[in-house]
């Protein structure tokens, strides 16, 4: 274990892997990433990893669009293969979503996103197995898709080895030492690392790590479930589908299977992040299956494959905290991505690395600063509960 580093990143999910990757890539020096379990072993590894661009805040649209371009060009932009499948993203709209549909089209077009409106006939042609009951039209993002979250994280970390990133997987950080309002060192299970910079990318444990530096973040956690069913061999190629009328989403998954989960708004399901039921329970399974089978009836005949639960880490306005803390020089936060933290992880990591290096990022991420809550400048989101970003 190194005794000194130019920056220590705590957490090896998409957030930590991204900022560590971009810090090393820009020549920041010796960058050390600490992961107490395995890379992408918590929320990131269980992410549906959908990369799409419709959001209600311009900054989120910009970041998501940048993400699409990074995933398209993953070997160069993300250090290696991300498993990205550019199958498109289909947003089904009913009467209740008419106004939102117009706003989404405008917002996306304004930011240069490739997007088009589909009629019911177009949707039938694109996705024949869908039951379009209640659907009046759709929005289609042809360049969106989904990635492999574990492969993405590993590529970011391994791809930056050449630039001086060292990852210690299976080593927990246990404390942060400050001296005169500055970061002095990070304590680990393997000893102390002297460093002027620490990034708290500990995901669900971001609050705990913040407390080491005397920061008291307001965080909630929700148990989030997905299920996977097999699909018929002759099913054809579907895009990722968001089904706001039913508050559900479906994604063609690996090995001829389909993943499905429930979207917001719905109730938050609090959990103990250190000990919770990681299996899909019967009630959740029933709720997800009801939506999935109504929208794609042929899947009713298919076999249930498996299901699981993981964690959303939720700040008070559902957006991550990313940036410095005004009173602790050298400390940066990067956690709380709730349900959209995978896709915006790499572009946020890229921008945060610039901020840490004292440079101006191409996408200004000031809006994500942790102090926004104290300053009363939080995000609001127009559609579908906070998670629609
Ligand atoms: C079911 C589900 C579906 C989702 N679907 C999508 C989607 O389709 N698209 C999308 O954009 N987002 C999605 N998300 C959200 C996204 O996955 C998360 O926002 C994102 O993965 C969070 O990444 P993270 O790096 O902040 O946290 P995590 O992935 O949880 O990583 C934090 C890491 O920090 C480590 N750590 C904690 N404390 C310490 C310590 N003291 N020392 C060392 N290591 C430590 C942990 O072990 C962990 O590996 C989904 C989330 C879930 C749960």
């Amino acid at each position: 274990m190194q005794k000194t580093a130019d920056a220590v990143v705590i957490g090896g999910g998409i957030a930590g892997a991204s900022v560590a990757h971009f810090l090393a890539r820009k020549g920041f020096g010796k960058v050390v990433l600490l992961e107490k379990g395995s890379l992408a072993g918590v929320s990131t590894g269980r992410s549906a990893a959908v990369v799409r661009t419709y959001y209600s805040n311009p900054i989120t649209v910009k970041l998501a669009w940048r993400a699409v371009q990074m995933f398209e060009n993953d070997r160069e932009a993300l250090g290696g293969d991300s498993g990205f499948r550019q199958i498109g993203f289909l947003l089904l709209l009913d009467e209740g979503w008419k106004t939102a549909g117009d706003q989404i089209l405008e917002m996306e077009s304004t930011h240069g996103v490739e997007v088009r409106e589909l009629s019911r006939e177009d949707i039938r042609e694109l996705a024949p197995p869908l039951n379009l009951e209640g659907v009046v039209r759709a929005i289609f993002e042809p360049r969106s898709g989904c990635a492999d979250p574990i492969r993405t994280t590993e590529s970011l970390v391994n791809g930056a080895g050449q630039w001086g990133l060292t990852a210690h997987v299976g080593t927990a950080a246990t404390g942060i030492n400050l001296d005169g309002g500055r970061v002095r060192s990070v304590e680990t299970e393997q000893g102390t690392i002297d460093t002027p910079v620490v990034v708290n990318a500990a995901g669900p444990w971001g609050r705990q790590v913040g407390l080491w530096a005397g920061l008291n973040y307001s965080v909630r956690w929700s148990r989030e479930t997905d299920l996977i069913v097999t699909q018929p061999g002759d099913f054809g190629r579907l895009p990722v589908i968001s089904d706001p009328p039913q508050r559900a989403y479906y994604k063609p998954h690996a090995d001829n299977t389909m993943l499905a989960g429930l979207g917001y708004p719905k109730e938050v399901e609090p959990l103990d992040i250190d000990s919770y039921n990681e299996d899909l329970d019967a009630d959740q399974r029933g709720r997800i299956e009801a939506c999935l089978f109504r929208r794609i009836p042929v899947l009713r005949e298919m076999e249930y494959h498996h299901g699981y639960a993981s964690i959303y880490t939720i700040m008070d306005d559902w957006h991550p905290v990313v940036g410095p803390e005004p009173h602790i020089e050298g400390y940066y936060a990067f956690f709380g991505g709730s349900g959209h933290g995978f896709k915006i992880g790499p572009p946020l990591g890229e921008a945060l690395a610039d901020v840490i290096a004292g440079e101006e990022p191409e996408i200004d991420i000031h809006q994500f600063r942790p102090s926004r809550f104290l300053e009363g400048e939080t995000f609001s989101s127009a559609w579908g509960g906070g998670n629609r970003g």
Side-chain angles (χ1 to χ4, degrees), residues 2 17 20-27 29-33 39 78-80 153-167:
Q2 295 85 332
H21 177 96
F22 289 103
L23 273 173
R25 185 187 275 247
K26 73 194 334 308
K30 275 196 288 180
V31 181
V32 172
L33 182 146
L39 290 177
L78 302 174
T153 309
E154 289 175 348
S155 289
L156 283 162
V157 172
N158 298 333
Q162 58 181 312
W163 298 304
L165 170 62
T166 311

Side-chain angles (χ1 to χ4, degrees), residues 76-156:
E76 171 52 34
L78 302 174
D81 182 27
S82 67
F84 184 57
R85 288 178 295 141
Q86 197 161 45
I87 53 180
F89 173 81
L90 181 70
L91 174 66
L92 301 174
L93 303 174
D94 63 4
E95 273 301 336
W97 271 67
K98 207 168 175 325
T99 317
D102 293 338
Q103 290 168 344
I104 291 163
L105 281 167
E106 197 189 323
M107 172 75 90
E108 298 222 58
S109 311
T110 307
H111 290 91
V113 177
E114 267 174 52
V115 66
R116 59 178 188 262
E117 195 178 348
L118 301 186
S119 65
R120 279 172 63 92
E121 288 64 42
D122 298 330
I123 308 170
R124 250 187 227 109
E125 204 171 304
L126 179 78
L130 297 196
N131 163 18
L132 296 184
E133 190 188 333
V135 174
V136 293
R137 61 173 175 154
I139 290 174
F140 185 58
E141 299 172 1
R143 284 173 63 182
S144 294
C146 51
D148 177 327
I150 298 176
R151 218 183 296 167
T152 305
T153 309
E154 289 175 348
S155 289
L156 283 162

Side-chain angles (χ1 to χ4, degrees), residues 9-18 33-52 55 145-146 149 153 168 170-175 187-189 200-206 208-209 212 222-226 240 249 251 259 261-262 276 308-313 320 334-345 387:
V9 176
I10 302 174
I14 192 69
S18 297
L33 182 146
L34 301 169
E35 167 51 56
K36 66 178 177 173
S38 55
L39 290 177
V42 189
S43 308
T44 298
R46 292 256 161 114
S47 174
V50 173
V51 180
R52 49 89 169 170
Y55 285 102
C146 51
T153 309
H168 292 281
T171 303
T174 54
E187 298 292 339
T188 84
E189 291 173 328
N200 173 359
W205 293 270
Q208 181 195 55
V209 170
W212 297 341
S222 181
R223 186 171 166 275
E224 295 294 323
T225 49
D226 277 336
V240 176
Y249 60 90
K251 185 197 85 163
L259 176 148
L262 298 178
Y276 66 97
Y308 49 79
S310 188
I311 309 170
Y312 272 15
T313 302
F334 187 6
F335 65 93
S338 65
H340 54 288
F342 175 75
K343 69 181 71 63
I344 62 172
N387 197 38

Side-chain angles (χ1 to χ4, degrees), residues 41-387:
V42 189
S43 308
T44 298
R46 292 256 161 114
S47 174
V50 173
V51 180
R52 49 89 169 170
T53 49
Y54 99 87
Y55 285 102
S56 65
N57 282 287
I59 181 69
T60 327
V61 177
K62 275 190 220 169
L63 288 165
W65 183 231
R66 169 81 185 126
V68 166
Q69 292 161 43
M70 290 170 120
F71 278 95
E72 279 176 342
N73 187 24
D74 52 7
R75 282 177 174 75
E76 171 52 34
L78 302 174
D81 182 27
S82 67
F84 184 57
R85 288 178 295 141
Q86 197 161 45
I87 53 180
F89 173 81
L90 181 70
L91 174 66
L92 301 174
L93 303 174
D94 63 4
E95 273 301 336
W97 271 67
K98 207 168 175 325
T99 317
D102 293 338
Q103 290 168 344
I104 291 163
L105 281 167
E106 197 189 323
M107 172 75 90
E108 298 222 58
S109 311
T110 307
H111 290 91
V113 177
E114 267 174 52
V115 66
R116 59 178 188 262
E117 195 178 348
L118 301 186
S119 65
R120 279 172 63 92
E121 288 64 42
D122 298 330
I123 308 170
R124 250 187 227 109
E125 204 171 304
L126 179 78
L130 297 196
N131 163 18
L132 296 184
E133 190 188 333
V135 174
V136 293
R137 61 173 175 154
I139 290 174
F140 185 58
E141 299 172 1
R143 284 173 63 182
S144 294
C146 51
D148 177 327
I150 298 176
R151 218 183 296 167
T152 305
T153 309
E154 289 175 348
S155 289
L156 283 162
V157 172
N158 298 333
Q162 58 181 312
W163 298 304
L165 170 62
T166 311
H168 292 281
V169 176
T171 303
T174 54
I176 295 174
N177 299 314
L178 306 177
D179 186 4
R182 286 164 185 260
V183 171
R184 165 75 60 199
S185 58
V186 172
E187 298 292 339
T188 84
E189 291 173 328
Q190 312 282 343
T192 307
I193 308 176
D194 288 337
T195 181
V197 171
V198 64
V199 182
N200 173 359
W205 293 270
R207 177 174 156 72
Q208 181 195 55
V209 170
L211 286 170
W212 297 341
L215 299 160
N216 193 0
Y217 294 107
S218 174
V219 183
R220 285 181 297 163
W221 300 271
S222 181
R223 186 171 166 275
E224 295 294 323
T225 49
D226 277 336
L227 68 75
I228 290 164
V229 293
T230 52
Q231 61 181 41
D234 58 353
F235 202 53
R237 197 172 117 132
L238 285 186
V240 176
I241 299 166
S242 175
D243 186 357
Q246 295 205 94
R247 300 176 187 177
Y249 60 90
Y250 326 111
K251 185 197 85 163
H253 204 53
D255 303 328
N256 235 14
T257 57
M258 178 73 79
L259 176 148
L262 298 178
Y264 279 78
K266 65 176 180 185
E267 68 282 9
V268 164
E269 190 185 333
L271 80 166
D272 174 349
I273 56 172
D274 292 306
S275 159
Y276 66 97
N277 174 11
E278 291 191 43
D279 297 325
L280 179 64
D281 41 287
D283 173 51
Q284 291 283 358
R285 178 177 163 183
R287 286 175 64 186
I288 300 171
E289 283 182 344
C291 300
L292 177 67
F293 297 160
R294 180 165 170 250
R295 191 59 78 204
I296 315 179
V298 65
L299 291 179
R300 202 182 291 274
E301 316 302 326
M302 302 312 294
E303 211 178 298
Y304 171 71
H305 199 279
H306 70 284
Y308 49 79
S310 188
I311 309 170
Y312 272 15
T313 302
I314 307 170
M315 309 313 291
D316 289 347
D317 62 2
W318 289 76
H319 288 263
V321 280
V322 190
E325 284 285 352
H327 305 298
I328 306 179
E329 204 178 319
Y331 169 97
Y332 298 84
F334 187 6
F335 65 93
S338 65
H340 54 288
F342 175 75
K343 69 181 71 63
I344 62 172
L348 276 174
E350 179 184 47
L352 180 58
D354 285 342
V355 171
I356 294 171
E359 295 165 16
E360 200 148 306
E362 222 170 284
I363 301 181
D364 181 1
I365 57 167
H366 184 68
Q367 252 186 292
F368 292 96
R369 68 198 182 282
S371 59
R372 68 181 184 269
F373 298 103
L374 289 175
E375 293 157 11
E377 288 181 15
T378 54
F379 283 87
S380 61
S381 301
W383 321 289
N387 197 38

